[in-house]
Amino acid sequence: MDKSAARLTPASRLFKYVVSVPPFVFLLLLLVAPSIIMVLASFRYPGEFGGLAPLISVDPRTLHGATLETYRFFFSDYIYTEIFIKSIVMACATTLICLIMAYPLALLIARSPKKPRNLMVLLVILPFASNFLIRVYAWMIVLGPQSALSQLLNSALHLFGIAPVHLLFSPFAVLVAMVYAHLPFMVLPLYTNLEKHDPSLLDAAQDLGANAWQRFWRVTLPLSLPGVFSGSALVFIPVLGMFVIPEILGGTGDMLIGNLIKEQFLGTRDWPFGSTLSIMLTVTVLLIAWLAARLGARRGRYAQA
C-alpha cells in the first residue's frame, strides 16, 4: 500500500475531490457529451424542415430510425475528399510558413536582454487585444483592388506585360490571413522552449570546433523540437477547421471543410451530414496528431542515441 495514500486525512481527500471534480464535470459536459451527441446524430436521418428526423414515426412515408446513409454519401462522392485534401494542404502550408517566420523571431526574442524581450513578447500577443473579425476584415482593405499593395504589385506586373491580379477573394488572401491570425501561436511555444536552453551547450559546441550553422543544427534545433511540435499543433488544428477567414476573404472555389460543416448546420440544416463531416474531421486531426507524436518520439529516440 502506498504510504502517501495512507497518510491522506479525510480533509485532504475531500479537498482532492473538491478540486478535481469541477474540471471533470466541465470536460464531461462540454467535451464528451457534445461528442457523443454528434456521433449519435450522424446515424440519424435529416428532418423534413432541417435538424434531425424522429427516431420513431407512425407515418411510414417519414424517414426515421438509424442509418448509415450519411457515411455512404460521404464516401461515394469524391468532392468531399477533395475538400478535405484542400483543407489539409492549406493547414500544412500555413503551419510551414508560420514555422519559417516564427523560428527566427522566437530565437531573437529568447536571446535578447530582458527589457526588449518583454516588449517583443508584448508585441507578439498585442493583436489578441482586438477583435478577431475586425482583424480579418482589415485584410479586405489591405488586399483590396484599390489598396497600395495591389496597385504597386499590378504596376510592377504591367511593366513585364502581365495581366493584373486580384489579391482579394483568392487562395492567396486566405493563406495570408491564416498566417497572420495564427503566427503568435507558433511564436510563443517556440520562445518558451528556446528561452530555457542552456547557453553553455552552445559554448561547449563552439569549443569543440562547431561553427554557427553546426551549433544551430546539432544543438539548438534538436532541443527546440518540442516547441516546434507544440506550435505546429496549435496552428495546424485550428486552421484545419477554420471557416471565418475563407468565408470572408476566399472566393467561390475556396471552400474548406470548416465552411462545408458550417453550411450543413446553418445553411441546408442537414445536421446528420454535418455531424458526419465533423466526425471525419475529428478522426483526421487525431490521426495526424498520432502520426506527429510517433514521429516526435522516434526523433527523440534518435537524438538520445
Side-chain angles (χ1 to χ4, degrees):
M1 182 176 180
D2 190 0
K3 295 181 179 180
S4 62
R7 288 194 298 265
L8 288 177
T9 63
S12 61
R13 290 195 185 96
L14 178 61
F15 178 76
K16 182 180 67 173
Y17 287 120
V18 168
V19 171
S20 60
V21 167
F24 176 77
V25 174
F26 178 85
L27 292 176
L28 186 65
L29 293 178
L30 299 183
L31 182 63
V32 177
S35 300
I36 294 175
I37 293 174
M38 183 177 65
V39 172
L40 295 177
S42 68
F43 294 103
R44 300 276 295 276
Y45 285 102
E48 184 178 359
F49 301 102
L52 300 175
L55 282 173
I56 301 174
S57 177
V58 294
D59 189 352
R61 296 172 299 176
T62 302
L63 296 175
H64 61 277
T67 179
L68 293 174
E69 186 64 29
T70 55
Y71 291 94
R72 192 178 300 112
F73 181 67
F74 174 81
F75 288 107
S76 64
D77 199 332
Y78 178 73
I79 187 173
Y80 301 112
T81 304
E82 183 180 354
I83 293 176
F84 259 93
I85 295 175
K86 187 191 303 183
S87 302
I88 293 174
V89 170
M90 177 64 71
C92 290
T94 303
T95 303
L96 181 60
I97 295 174
C98 284
L99 179 60
I100 294 173
M101 296 178 64
Y103 202 104
L105 177 59
L107 192 61
L108 173 64
I109 297 174
R111 296 183 178 179
S112 299
K114 186 173 182 180
K115 284 188 177 180
R117 184 195 313 166
N118 294 336
L119 176 60
M120 286 188 283
V121 172
L122 176 63
L123 292 176
V124 169
I125 64 177
L126 190 61
F128 292 117
S130 60
N131 185 270
F132 176 75
L133 283 177
I134 294 176
R135 289 187 281 131
V136 174
Y137 275 112
W139 279 102
M140 298 185 69
I141 302 175
V142 176
L143 300 175
Q146 303 301 322
S147 66
L149 178 61
S150 295
Q151 292 183 359
L152 180 63
L153 176 62
N154 287 324
S155 298
L157 294 177
H158 180 72
L159 296 177
F160 296 95
I162 303 176
V165 296
H166 299 282
L167 300 180
L168 192 60
F169 306 129
S170 66
F172 173 79
V174 175
L175 182 60
V176 168
M178 288 284 199
V179 171
Y180 163 75
H182 296 88
L183 185 60
F185 296 105
M186 182 69 77
V187 174
L188 295 177
L190 283 173
Y191 160 69
T192 303
N193 177 275
L194 292 169
E195 186 189 24
K196 298 177 181 178
H197 289 189
D198 189 354
S200 62
L201 296 176
L202 296 176
D203 296 336
Q206 185 176 9
D207 293 339
L208 293 173
N211 56 33
W213 171 251
Q214 290 173 332
R215 294 196 299 271
F216 171 78
W217 186 254
R218 298 292 184 88
V219 179
T220 304
L221 183 59
L223 291 176
S224 65
L225 285 181
V228 171
F229 288 129
S230 299
S232 299
L234 289 175
V235 173
F236 182 87
I237 294 175
V239 170
L240 191 59
M242 176 65 67
F243 71 91
V244 175
I245 292 177
E247 188 84 10
I248 297 175
L249 300 178
T252 55
D254 296 317
M255 174 176 284
L256 302 181
I257 185 61
N259 303 93
L260 184 60
I261 294 174
K262 171 252 180 185
E263 182 63 25
Q264 296 301 317
F265 278 104
L266 302 181
T268 61
R269 289 181 52 80
D270 190 347
W271 290 8
F273 190 57
S275 300
T276 300
L277 292 173
S278 301
I279 292 172
M280 300 309 299
L281 177 61
T282 303
V283 171
T284 302
V285 170
L286 292 177
L287 179 61
I288 294 174
W290 177 77
L291 292 174
R294 290 292 300 271
L295 178 62
R298 184 174 301 178
R299 290 292 298 270
R301 288 195 297 268
Y302 289 160
Q304 293 175 0

